[in-house]
Amino acid sequence: GRQKASTMVLPTMAARLNTRPPSPFSFSTIRLAILLATAFIFGVAVCSALFLWQTHQNDPVLSTSHLPHYHGNAPLSPNTINKGKEDDSDQLSPSSTSSILDGVRVLVTIASFDFMQLPHLEEVLDGFQDLCYAGSRVDVVVYTTVLYPVALIDMFNDRMRCNNPSPNAGMTMTLILKPSRVRLHLVDFHRELFYDRIDQYDVFVYTEDDIRISPKTVAAYLHETRRVESLVGPERATDFNVGIVRYEYDFPENVVITDKTRHASVNVTRVYWEHLGTPIFEKTVDKVEEEKLAPYFISMRKPHQGMYLVTPSLLRAWKKRPKCRFNEVRNRPSHPSNPGQPTEGTQRVWMSSQMLYGGRHCKVTQLLPVENFGQLTVLHLPNKNYRRVGKQGRLGGNDNSPKNEFGDGSEVFQRSHPSLLKALELHLEMKRQFPNLQTSNVGEGKRYTGIRMVDTDVNFHSMHKNHRAAAEARLEAYRAYVERGGYMLESDMNIDLDEWRASSSI
């Protein structure tokens, strides 16, 4: 009986096994789950990419949407110096088929307080446009305290457009408005931007608005920086930076060059007015102590430059360098008992040169190549500072020297002949005569590609009522100009050619 019961149980258990519900993890279910998960991940990736793209496009400072429509976003050529890693140098890869500037990404920042030096600024901008035509991708940021009228922006849009067809070249320009109360601290703002964009550029340039920088200047800087790295190695190279010397032409002080006096320039030459003293190699120029660099480089005893160039790897190194903290903006050293009295130069001297080269600060050694010295000299466009030399309180002067005279606002200047054709005057008349040309500042997607003016740091409510109304009207005219694609209306062209500067400050 026990054996019979046993044989009866087995079929019952088998029947139960055969009637168990199917597994929820069948092959088709698993495959569907994988497909759904893949689709979800793909969707997240696409949405993230679109979000990042939109964020970049809406960047008011350096969006690639600023590039003209004929400039693509192709990757840089292999000979550029972009590395993007902290342990990499910025050394150029040698190439026999392209320029040292081809595809190099350059961020330029210019401190230009108002329109006082507008003639010089125009020349400075021309130099950076030349850099674009030399093959570089150039983003220019001008820090200013004045609102540019639409007419001036439109003229600059036409003038600064870089028609280099290379996918690696291009140029953008952005005006970042700051309140006039920042005064001498307008020179401070570039530093934060450099470190914010440190992985996006191959070389950074800071300059005042009256120094003529050419493609030769940038190319020579990159060439000599590469040579320093090859001689001492990338780590030791962070103790040095290839520098700049400014020059002027020493025209006779008592002569205005006219047809009658043009022969007065027969002995005029370039002069380095900031560097005085003989013997030259005891009082003006220093030989370099580093044994590997000494055969090729010198330093100036007074390293003030009014500008500087720098690579990403140097910016990173100087951020960590003892006593340097190059990324931190701070006031120039001053007398302990009189904070208003600088001890190592003004704020602009501090930010452009003294913080970097000063022995009590970053203590970086300025280098200038002996053989290529002239390639790293730049014209100081006002061409007036050489006249200070030998005056009281100035280089080469003493208490018995002639006084250095300053303007007091009472001076009356003779204007040029009224029949002279002004650049802005001709620009406006051409636009009136050719009203059909309305697409020059429009790129892909019918987006405005011209000069940007960013006002996020300006509080218009703090202005006087009448001045605020004029400033808001000018800004609104610019916004309308951008929205319709960067072409002027008659209201934009109806501008007083002699007085438009007067109501521009913020």
Side-chain angles (χ1 to χ4, degrees):
R2 185 176 301 170
Q3 182 178 4
K4 183 177 179 180
S6 173
T7 56
M8 291 178 64
V9 171
L10 289 176
T12 303
M13 293 180 63
R16 290 178 180 175
L17 288 174
N18 290 335
T19 59
R20 181 177 294 175
S23 172
F25 301 105
S26 65
F27 175 79
S28 59
T29 303
I30 294 173
R31 182 175 63 180
L32 178 61
I34 292 174
L35 288 174
L36 290 174
T38 303
F40 174 79
I41 294 171
F42 179 78
V44 170
V46 170
C47 291
S48 300
L50 287 173
F51 174 79
L52 293 173
W53 178 84
Q54 187 66 27
T55 300
H56 180 68
Q57 290 294 88
N58 290 334
D59 188 327
V61 183
L62 301 174
S63 169
T64 54
S65 66
H66 295 197
L67 295 177
H69 64 276
Y70 39 77
H71 290 138
N73 296 321
L76 295 176
S77 57
N79 66 305
T80 57
I81 57 177
N82 175 43
K83 297 292 182 183
K85 297 179 181 179
E86 294 204 14
D87 58 347
D88 285 335
S89 69
D90 300 296
Q91 185 171 333
L92 285 165
S93 300
S95 173
S96 59
T97 59
S98 60
S99 164
I100 193 174
L101 296 172
D102 184 36
V104 172
R105 300 174 302 176
V106 185
L107 175 57
V108 177
T109 56
I110 304 171
S112 182
F113 192 84
D114 52 26
F115 291 127
M116 186 76 70
Q117 299 209 113
L118 181 61
H120 306 319
L121 176 62
E122 293 183 78
E123 294 297 318
V124 173
L125 293 174
D126 282 352
F128 292 118
Q129 184 186 29
D130 293 344
L131 186 60
C132 172
Y133 276 110
S136 297
R137 187 184 294 268
V138 186
D139 287 323
V140 177
V141 174
V142 180
Y143 293 101
T144 185
T145 67
V146 288
L147 278 161
Y148 283 49
V150 166
L152 183 64
I153 288 176
D154 192 75
M155 182 176 72
F156 279 5
N157 273 335
D158 282 4
R159 185 187 295 175
M160 303 309 299
R161 191 174 297 114
C162 180
N163 295 312
N164 188 336
S166 169
N168 294 330
M171 182 171 182
T172 72
M173 181 173 166
T174 302
L175 305 169
I176 298 186
L177 303 178
K178 297 291 181 180
S180 57
R181 65 177 179 273
V182 302
R183 298 177 63 81
L184 295 178
H185 287 279
L186 188 68
V187 301
D188 297 348
F189 297 106
H190 75 277
R191 194 66 57 82
E192 181 180 0
L193 183 62
F194 280 8
Y195 279 93
D196 284 346
R197 305 283 175 167
I198 195 168
D199 294 322
Q200 300 179 25
Y201 294 91
D202 306 313
V203 62
F204 299 81
V205 182
Y206 163 74
T207 182
E208 297 168 8
D209 61 356
D210 57 6
I211 301 173
R212 187 61 152 85
I213 300 168
S214 69
K216 174 183 67 177
T217 313
V218 180
Y221 174 83
L222 294 175
H223 172 78
E224 297 300 338
T225 299
R226 177 175 65 187
R227 185 153 68 133
V228 172
E229 288 186 355
S230 68
L231 289 170
V232 301
E235 183 175 355
R236 175 70 169 127
T238 61
D239 294 333
F240 306 93
N241 193 42
V242 176
I244 294 292
V245 176
R246 302 186 296 172
Y247 67 85
E248 293 183 343
Y249 286 96
D250 62 340
F251 289 95
E253 294 192 27
N254 62 339
V255 174
V256 175
I257 302 300
T258 65
D259 288 342
K260 182 178 179 179
T261 61
R262 61 183 180 180
H263 59 282
S265 63
V266 64
N267 292 319
V268 171
T269 187
R270 290 184 181 185
V271 290
Y272 308 114
W273 81 92
E274 297 175 285
H275 310 284
L276 306 178
T278 55
I280 291 175
F281 272 88
E282 290 182 13
K283 296 186 177 181
T284 303
V285 179
D286 291 326
K287 292 186 176 181
V288 178
E289 294 181 0
E290 167 59 52
E291 183 179 357
K292 295 178 180 178
L293 300 176
Y296 311 105
F297 294 94
I298 58 172
S299 298
M300 306 305 289
R301 183 68 58 89
K302 292 183 173 65
H304 178 232
Q305 304 177 159
M307 61 163 291
Y308 66 90
L309 298 94
V310 63
T311 61
S313 64
L314 292 175
L315 284 176
R316 293 188 186 97
W318 298 342
K319 178 180 179 179
K320 303 174 183 178
R321 190 177 180 85
K323 298 183 179 180
C324 185
R325 310 189 320 276
F326 198 66
N327 60 311
E328 297 180 17
V329 174
R330 50 198 186 274
N331 290 339
R332 81 287 186 275
S334 59
H335 197 280
S337 61
N338 183 10
Q341 180 62 43
T343 56
E344 298 183 44
T346 62
Q347 187 70 12
R348 68 178 189 84
V349 173
W350 168 248
M351 292 299 291
S352 72
S353 309
Q354 190 61 24
M355 180 194 296
L356 179 60
Y357 298 122
R360 294 191 297 170
H361 313 294
C362 294
K363 202 176 181 180
V364 170
T365 300
Q366 180 198 59
L367 295 179
L368 291 153
V370 174
E371 292 180 303
N372 296 323
F373 180 85
Q375 297 182 29
L376 286 156
T377 60
V378 293
L379 174 61
H380 184 234
L381 290 159
N383 208 72
K384 64 178 179 62
N385 287 5
Y386 75 93
R387 300 175 187 266
R388 299 174 175 175
V389 175
K391 305 291 176 63
Q392 287 186 22
R394 295 293 181 173
L395 291 172
N398 54 48
D399 292 341
N400 298 320
S401 300
K403 290 184 178 180
N404 186 48
E405 297 182 356
F406 292 92
D408 59 10
S410 64
E411 296 81 11
V412 177
F413 303 105
Q414 181 179 348
R415 300 288 296 270
S416 58
H417 197 279
S419 65
L420 286 171
L421 180 60
K422 297 178 174 64
L424 186 56
E425 179 184 12
L426 176 57
H427 177 76
L428 295 177
E429 191 57 30
M430 286 192 296
K431 294 298 181 177
R432 289 189 178 100
Q433 295 296 323
F434 296 87
N436 58 305
L437 300 178
Q438 298 182 353
T439 60
S440 300
N441 298 317
V442 176
E444 296 178 0
K446 296 183 178 181
R447 295 173 63 93
Y448 172 73
T449 59
I451 295 171
R452 299 281 179 174
M453 189 158 60
V454 181
D455 67 325
T456 51
D457 293 335
V458 179
N459 180 11
F460 290 93
H461 296 290
S462 63
M463 298 180 181
H464 185 273
K465 181 178 179 181
N466 293 337
H467 187 59
R468 180 172 71 244
E472 289 178 341
R474 181 168 287 187
L475 188 59
E476 183 57 36
Y478 166 74
R479 288 170 177 162
Y481 170 80
V482 171
E483 288 176 2
R484 63 176 173 265
Y487 63 88
M488 291 188 292
L489 303 178
E490 183 59 36
S491 58
D492 300 314
M493 294 184 266
N494 186 21
I495 183 173
D496 190 321
L497 293 172
D498 296 317
E499 300 299 330
W500 61 264
R501 294 171 175 82
S503 59
S504 302
S505 65
I506 50 177

